[in-house]
Amino acid sequence: MTARIGVITFPGTLDDRDTQRAVRVAGAEAVPLWHRDKDLKQVDAVVLPGGFSYGDYLRAGAISRFSPVMETVIEQARAGMPVLGICNGFQVLTETHLLPGAMLRNNHLHFICRDQKLRVENANTAWTTDYEAGQEISVPLKNIDGRYVADERTLDMLEAEGRVAFRYLDGNPNGSLRDIAGITNEAGNVVGLMPHPEHAVEPLIGTGRTDGLGFFTSILKRLVNA
Amino acid sequence: MARVVVDVMLKPEILDPQGQAVQRALPRLGFEGIADVRQGKRFELEVEGPVDDAALARIHEMAETFLANTVIEDFTVRVDEPAEAGS
């Protein structure tokens, strides 16, 4: 039986179709989920895709955090279900406190859209086992609220526990503290990052490389072997 | 109906590039002597019923869980007293 990976659509989400496609390219079944559903349709993992849920009103990700579907996601994530938050999805995960810290407006105040080089710092999370620690990948980055912040104690804790999962290379695009592009929770099942691996899964589009595919093949392997 | 005001500000240690952009524009507009600007949010809540301690406690909880993200923001809650007649 193939793994079922849920992709949640909030009002304002815009990368849900690309994410579903990335899931299928990796060989899993993509299950569309609606923000008003409390039921996760027995999926094995969930992706919160990019976009501008609820228009980013109040703060990016703040209103979605209280949607019915997130009540179930929070509960299941705490019980160990793999959850990946990309861009707006990462913002939602910090707002739920499943991941520490917060996301703020880029330090230069510009929307940024470019190919971004990253270093995979932690290849042991549910979503990164098909990479190697230290591997450099290039995936698209596009956001205006991409500046990761947390207090010094939290940052030190993340570094000490190997929970900085991805770091920006060749220039920090948004002022994120310690060049952090993505982090994981303590158990390694919840991962959030600002750049967009789902836009780099086929050679014809995005960066022209398939560096982002590893996220979706990692989770598939984990679920199939589970 | 009574009005309760919730002010939300980025914590002092958090970089506020929007406030800085405003501050940098001031001399161009002829406003000198402003050393720093920080930009926040103000919520005006029109409250049904009395604004007693219980209502204020609920609003405090709302501010803490939703209106502000206490990882990055501080907030204050106050009742907006109506201006006195003739003043």
Side-chain angles (χ1 to χ4, degrees):
Chain A
M1 220 181 70
T2 182
R4 288 163 58 82
I5 300 179
V7 179
I8 299 177
T9 301
F10 301 96
T13 296
L14 53 83
D15 291 325
D16 43 347
R17 295 301 182 95
D18 279 31
T19 305
Q20 290 169 22
R21 186 172 173 84
V23 166
R24 287 193 299 270
V25 168
E29 181 186 350
V31 180
L33 298 171
W34 182 236
H35 69 114
R36 259 188 248 159
D37 297 339
K38 265 192 124 160
D39 173 32
L40 295 185
K41 300 185 184 168
Q42 295 174 316
V43 295
D44 304 299
V46 162
V47 184
L48 310 178
F52 296 86
S53 60
Y54 292 88
D56 277 355
Y57 293 133
L58 187 59
R59 297 176 303 277
I63 298 180
S64 337
R65 177 250 174 278
F66 292 98
S67 64
V69 76
M70 284 309 296
E71 278 179 45
T72 317
V73 169
I74 292 167
E75 193 185 295
Q76 296 287 312
R78 289 201 177 119
M81 183 181 70
V83 177
L84 174 66
I86 302 168
C87 199
N88 190 237
F90 184 18
Q91 293 158 345
V92 174
L93 289 176
T94 60
E95 285 285 337
T96 60
H97 305 303
L98 283 170
L99 293 175
M103 307 300 307
L104 281 164
R105 188 61 49 97
N106 295 344
N107 59 345
H108 45 70
L109 299 176
H110 295 290
F111 187 93
I112 190 160
C113 180
R114 73 179 196 202
D115 294 342
Q116 177 67 48
K117 212 160 148 196
L118 301 177
R119 186 166 57 230
V120 180
E121 302 279 19
N122 182 337
N124 291 317
T125 79
W127 302 88
T128 55
T129 50
D130 269 357
Y131 297 104
E132 280 171 28
Q135 187 177 342
E136 296 180 6
I137 63 174
S138 176
V139 297
L141 173 81
K142 55 188 176 84
N143 63 64
I144 192 165
D145 290 302
R147 174 167 54 113
Y148 181 78
V149 299
D151 60 32
E152 286 295 312
R153 229 180 91 223
T154 304
L155 293 168
D156 289 343
M157 182 262 293
L158 289 173
E159 303 267 14
E161 296 179 2
R163 288 171 54 190
V164 176
F166 311 94
R167 231 184 281 265
Y168 295 116
L169 291 180
D170 294 347
N172 182 328
N174 47 33
S176 284
L177 296 179
R178 303 196 191 179
D179 297 337
I180 289 174
I183 55 174
T184 179
N185 68 344
E186 200 175 356
N189 63 307
V190 180
V191 171
L193 79 164
M194 284 316 290
H196 289 262
E198 81 282 15
H199 295 326
V201 298
E202 289 168 300
L204 276 177
I205 56 165
T207 53
R209 299 160 58 141
T210 58
D211 291 7
L213 191 58
F215 283 79
F216 305 96
T217 54
S218 295
I219 191 63
L220 181 58
K221 263 189 212 154
R222 175 189 165 113
L223 294 171
V224 169
N225 294 334
Chain B
M1 273 197 294
R3 172 177 291 175
V4 175
V5 175
V6 179
D7 284 308
V8 176
M9 291 298 294
L10 279 177
K11 289 182 175 178
E13 67 271 23
I14 304 271
L15 171 72
D16 175 15
Q18 294 172 103
Q20 288 183 347
V22 173
Q23 193 254 333
R24 281 197 303 267
L26 291 175
R28 286 205 299 274
L29 302 173
F31 298 103
E32 305 289 345
I34 307 296
D36 192 26
V37 175
R38 293 183 69 80
Q39 179 175 317
K41 288 180 207 155
R42 169 183 164 119
F43 299 86
E44 297 184 350
L45 313 174
E46 301 295 333
V47 182
E48 292 170 350
V51 181
D52 50 19
D53 286 353
L56 276 175
R58 275 200 355 265
I59 290 167
H60 194 275
E61 189 193 342
M62 178 210 302
E64 191 166 30
T65 54
F66 186 49
L67 299 181
N69 178 347
T70 54
V71 174
I72 45 172
E73 293 166 329
D74 296 323
F75 67 90
T76 58
V77 176
R78 66 184 165 82
V79 181
D80 197 22
E81 302 292 348
E84 288 190 23
S87 68

